[in-house]
Structure formats: structure tokens, C-alpha cells
Amino acid sequence: MMREEFTPAARSISYLMKNNEHDITGVLIGRPHPTVLGVIIGVTPGETDSELEYAKAVRAHSLGVQTLTDVTTNGDTRLRERVLASLDIVFGTVPTYEIHRRIERDGEDARSAVMGVLEGQARQGVDFVTIHASGTLEMAQRIRDSGRVIPVTSRGGAMMAEISLSSGMQNPYMEHFDDVLEVCRDSGMALSLAGTYRPGSVADALDAAHLEEIDHQAELVRRAQERGVKVSVELVNHVPLHLIPVYCELGRTKLHGAPFGALGPTPTDIGIGYDDVVGAIGATTAAQHDTSWITCVTAGEHCHMPTKGDMTQAVKYFQLALHVAALGRHGDLGRDAKLSEARNRNDWATMAHLALHRDDATDLFGRLGYHEGQACSMCSGACPLVRSRVSLNGRME
């Protein structure tokens, strides 16, 4: 079900992300609702397996993550089947990987490959599919000869470019988009329109190629909405901090009210080993400017397969980022103020209870051996909170 809401700023559409065949709660996505947080899992042969990736899925679910995107590249469906059957979480895929294999390796007809993959995943209960439908053949030809720092950063985008350039034919998603929409409308499976040629470097942000692609995404959004299909747009990835609001304004004004999202985003390219911190900084700005969903970036995003620990750390950073953004958007300081009141009393149990990550705070204070009223080791006997209680009240509480 899609619901339109109107604000003074712009038209806004929200919907429940959930396949009709998937027995889960689902999540509401769209600007009137809190920003949705997602995590990427998936099997890369030789680097991880379905057991390790399922453990990540379970951990993400326990942390309160709302969506999982499976980027498995080898056609192994065990992870997908297990998550769909066992976890109450919105689950999506990137079908481009399987479609590319069926077209390029197996020689299957493009329409047959696209529809076979999408129809099969819809029947399985996949809640959303991230498709690379907005990069045209002509764009692939121009990008090949462009001066971009990184011509193509999207794995699926590179596969779509390969299909188009090797065959000389149009992007198969775009060519058969009406059929794609029919599958999604009938199943309730949502479309996430990927940035096929999104910038892979902050130096390429807002370049002509990406601006052209946003126009293509806007047209695909219009067609999807006319057919009653749930649709969102992957809008922001590598972009300097000051341009994130510019991208978000493009999302609000061009995308017909559809929810738009971000991978991170990543506002600097030199944070190797710290891309989770970099991404959380970008996520704060993006979420404050109406980005409806954010996908976590891990510390090793650009250099290694993330571990469960890497993913856990990233989720916690991004949850803090989204809380900071929510404070900026809505101004509800209640929880922060209550924690500060507890801090003023050196009430460690209440501080732990109000912390965003309660178990971590409880473990920390337990290891430090703090009791109510005790100053922390940062200031110890010089604690201003204790001293002010004495001076203002004339006695030690």
C-alpha cells in the first residue's frame, strides 16, 4: 500500500516495504517516517560463506537494523532462503548479478533472464529488488570515454555496462521495464532504483553523467507510480559533505515524492580503514535532509570483506548518526536531557538505561566499578558535578 502525504516543501509518498508473500512486520519508508537503516550481507566466494553471512544477518536484526540487502554474487540462494524463512526483517537482493550471469555466461535471452530472476524472487518473498535500470547504452558509451576519476563504481553498474556494450542493445531492465513493474505490482515487491553510474569518487559528484541518470530515475519513478508500484531511488554515495544537501534537494524536487536513499554516504575518499566513521558523518547530514533510508558503510568498505564485528561497529556508529540527524530535524531533546540530568547526579544506572547502546554502557560502567554518586575517573576528586552540588546545596548528597 502506498500513501501520499503533502508538506509545504514537496509531495511525499510513503509505503510499507514488504512482499505480500513474506510473513514479516515490514517497515514504513518515506519522508514522514524515521530514516530506515540497512545493512549489506552476501557471499563473495573464497572470502565468506552463507553461515558467516547468516550470522551477520542475525546480529544485524538483534541490533535493530530494519533492512538487509543480499549481494551474493555466485548464485548460491541458501542465505536468501534462510533469512526469508527465519528473521522478521525486510530483505532485498541485487538481481543484476544473476541476470548478468545468465545473459553473458549462459547466453540466455535478456527478457527471459530478467523476468525469470525477478519472478522467482518475488515468489520467494523478497521484499525489494535493487535494479540497475537507469543507465542507458548511450551513457555507457560516453562514460567509457569520459574523464571521470572512477568511470563505474557500482558492481551491478559495471555488469549492465558490459551487457549493453557487448550486445549493442539497450539496458535490459529499461527495455523490459513494463514487465518488471507488473511483477512488482502483483507481488508487492518494491523497486529500489540503483545508481548505475553513481559517482565512485567525491571528485565526480554532481557530474553530468550522474545528473543525467537522476533524470532517467525520475522517469522510471513516474512510470512505477502510475502502475501502483512501490519505488525508491538510490541517490547519494561518494559526495562531499557540502553537496549532500544539494543531492537531497534534487531528490525532493525531481523524484515525484518517492523515498530516496544513500549508501553511507561517503563524504571523503581518504578514510581507508575508517569508512564507517566517514559514512556516519555523511549519514548525519543526509538523514537531516530528508533521506529516507541509509545503508551502513563498514570500516573496510573499500578494501576487505567486513566481519561481523566490522558490521556491528558500523551499525552502532550509524544509529548514533541517525539519532543526531533526528535531533536536528525534529528538535526532540527529551532523551538527551534526561541522560544529562542523570549525569549531573552521577547516576550511572540511569545513564546506561538511557544510552543509545544500553548494553555497551552497562558493561562499561560495570568494568569501571562505578556506583551512584561517584565521580568518574576523568575528573575524580575535581568532578565539577560533585563540587557544584556541594557549593550550590551546601552539603554532599
Side-chain angles (χ1 to χ4, degrees):
M1 178 182 68
M2 291 195 294
R3 180 167 65 241
E4 288 197 31
E5 300 195 18
F6 294 87
T7 67
R11 174 176 181 249
S12 175
I13 293 178
S14 60
Y15 57 84
L16 181 67
M17 190 176 281
K18 175 187 176 302
N19 187 310
N20 299 338
E21 301 301 318
H22 195 188
D23 185 19
I24 58 169
T25 306
V27 65
L28 288 167
I29 185 170
R31 290 199 289 279
H33 306 289
T35 305
V36 171
L37 184 61
V39 158
I40 292 173
I41 59 172
V43 177
T44 297
E47 301 298 329
T48 185
D49 57 38
S50 61
E51 285 294 328
L52 291 172
E53 295 305 301
Y54 182 73
K56 288 185 193 176
V58 172
R59 178 60 172 152
H61 180 255
S62 72
L63 290 167
V65 168
Q66 294 146 300
T67 72
L68 296 173
T69 302
D70 181 8
V71 297
T72 296
T73 58
N74 66 348
D76 186 344
T77 62
R78 288 176 294 176
L79 176 62
R80 179 196 314 165
E81 293 161 0
R82 191 172 179 186
V83 173
L84 285 170
S86 63
L87 298 179
D88 184 6
I89 193 167
V90 172
F91 185 81
T93 67
V94 183
T96 301
Y97 306 152
E98 186 175 350
I99 289 168
H100 172 267
R101 187 170 58 253
R102 289 170 68 160
I103 293 173
E104 291 295 300
R105 188 192 68 185
D106 301 339
E108 189 172 345
D109 170 78
R111 184 184 183 281
S112 172
V114 169
M115 298 310 296
V117 171
L118 293 183
E119 288 172 348
Q121 294 193 10
R123 285 193 300 269
Q124 283 184 306
V126 170
D127 299 297
F128 68 93
V129 283
T130 299
I131 68 170
H132 299 79
S134 47
T136 66
L137 168 61
E138 294 75 21
M139 289 178 68
Q141 292 167 334
R142 288 197 299 273
I143 284 175
R144 180 175 52 189
D145 302 319
S146 75
R148 269 188 160 193
V149 175
I150 296 179
V152 184
T153 192
S154 163
R155 190 158 55 185
M159 292 177 183
M160 278 295 106
E162 182 181 342
I163 290 171
S164 293
L165 292 172
S166 65
S167 67
M169 299 179 67
Q170 193 52 268
N171 181 321
Y173 286 122
M174 187 175 287
E175 191 75 11
H176 304 291
F177 196 63
D178 285 338
D179 296 324
V180 171
L181 293 179
E182 186 174 345
V183 172
C184 291
R185 183 195 59 202
D186 292 347
S187 64
M189 185 170 69
L191 276 182
S192 172
L193 299 176
T196 309
Y197 300 127
R198 66 180 187 267
S201 164
V202 294
D204 295 328
L206 284 179
D207 70 350
H210 197 214
L211 291 175
E212 179 183 351
E213 180 162 17
I214 291 171
D215 287 337
H216 289 306
Q217 288 174 319
E219 173 60 16
L220 296 175
V221 165
R222 183 193 64 78
R223 290 170 61 184
Q225 290 175 346
E226 287 180 351
R227 298 285 290 273
V229 171
K230 306 169 188 176
V231 60
S232 66
V233 173
E234 174 192 287
L235 186 62
V236 189
N237 189 203
H238 288 258
V239 53
L241 196 69
H242 69 288
L243 294 182
I244 292 174
V246 178
Y247 265 112
C248 293
E249 182 63 17
L250 288 173
R252 285 190 295 266
T253 57
K254 283 181 169 284
L255 300 177
H256 310 288
F260 55 85
L263 302 176
T266 299
T268 180
D269 297 325
I270 65 172
I272 298 299
Y274 299 94
D275 280 320
D276 49 356
V277 178
V278 170
I281 292 169
T284 304
T285 299
Q288 191 173 0
H289 288 84
D290 291 335
T291 300
S292 293
W293 56 263
I294 297 283
T295 298
C296 287
V297 170
T298 64
E301 183 71 16
H302 301 99
C303 54
H304 66 81
M305 171 65 69
T307 65
K308 186 169 72 170
D310 293 333
M311 183 209 70
T312 298
Q313 177 174 278
V315 168
K316 291 179 179 181
Y317 289 167
F318 275 73
Q319 286 173 329
L320 284 166
L322 297 191
H323 177 73
V324 172
L327 294 183
R329 291 183 66 186
H330 307 303
D332 182 1
L333 305 177
R335 181 172 176 178
D336 289 72
K338 288 179 180 177
L339 191 145
S340 296
E341 291 168 0
R343 177 172 288 143
N344 190 52
R345 300 189 303 270
N346 296 106
D347 180 350
W348 301 101
T350 300
M351 277 190 273
H353 177 72
L354 291 168
L356 188 59
H357 302 116
R358 294 173 180 172
D359 291 345
D360 291 349
T362 299
D363 290 346
L364 174 63
F365 298 159
R367 290 198 307 273
L368 294 168
Y370 290 159
H371 59 77
E372 185 170 355
Q374 176 185 354
C376 80
S377 58
M378 178 69 181
C379 298
S380 191
C383 175
L385 308 181
V386 174
R387 294 173 73 89
S388 63
R389 284 202 297 273
V390 173
S391 60
L392 295 174
N393 299 327
R395 60 184 176 84
M396 182 74 75
E397 293 183 356

